[in-house]
Amino acid sequence: AFLPIFLASRGHSELISHALLALNLGQLPASLLLLVVAGRLERRAWPYIASGAVSLACIAGIVFMPGPATIAWAALLGFSIAAGLILAPTLPPLLCRAEDVARTSAGTFTLSYGGAVVMALASGAAWDLTGMPALAFVPLAIGAMALAIVAATMLRIGELR
């Protein structure tokens, strides 16, 4: 949501449509790849850690390297976010008792979509309060770090491998 306005604020309005296209098209290879390898990634921590780390690197690339490289960063960000998003709903059935799957899945979806709304509000507030467009990406970076940290914690306590 903040990519077009951010690029315009940096004088790169000509890249908006290309960056948005790259962000969306980047999701397709992740989806296709996961069709083939999803079974091998079940209960693994590294895909979530990698998704968080790559997303963080892409956000930094978008913020600190605005220009033609933004298109590549956006495509990689789309890939990374899609991979994490596709794998996340598989965890409740894998980690919970059968009778807990429905409520855990509902809680997972509530937190993830609710978190997206809160992040969008926090990003807009960070930009509005400071007048610095790059700060809109800080909540997104925090979310990417949180994904990696939670996955690493789940690995440490044995819930993921």
Side-chain angles (χ1 to χ4, degrees):
F2 296 99
L3 186 57
I5 302 168
F6 175 74
L7 287 172
S9 75
R10 292 293 180 101
H12 293 288
S13 296
E14 76 283 1
L15 298 176
I16 293 172
S17 61
H18 298 295
L20 291 175
L21 179 65
L23 181 68
N24 289 308
L25 286 180
Q27 297 172 29
L28 295 176
S31 300
L32 297 174
L33 180 64
L34 286 171
L35 284 173
V36 178
V37 300
R40 289 179 271 189
L41 301 179
E42 287 179 351
R43 293 192 67 169
R44 303 280 186 214
W46 75 262
Y48 301 102
I49 295 169
S51 178
V54 170
S55 294
L56 183 62
C58 291
I59 291 166
I62 289 169
V63 169
F64 295 114
M65 298 170 60
T70 302
I71 297 167
W73 288 118
L76 186 56
L77 181 62
F79 181 93
S80 176
I81 290 171
L85 181 63
I86 292 167
L87 287 173
T90 67
L91 288 178
L94 294 171
L95 299 176
C96 298
R97 296 183 319 233
E99 61 269 15
D100 293 333
V101 170
R103 91 172 129 250
T104 303
S105 294
T108 301
F109 283 112
T110 300
L111 290 173
S112 62
Y113 286 104
V117 171
V118 169
M119 275 196 193
L121 292 172
S123 293
W127 187 336
D128 289 345
L129 292 172
T130 65
M132 298 173 63
L135 290 185
F137 293 94
V138 169
L140 304 176
I142 292 169
M145 289 186 297
L147 174 62
I149 291 167
V150 167
T153 301
M154 291 178 76
L155 174 65
R156 188 176 50 79
I157 63 174
E159 290 185 353
L160 295 177
R161 300 181 286 228

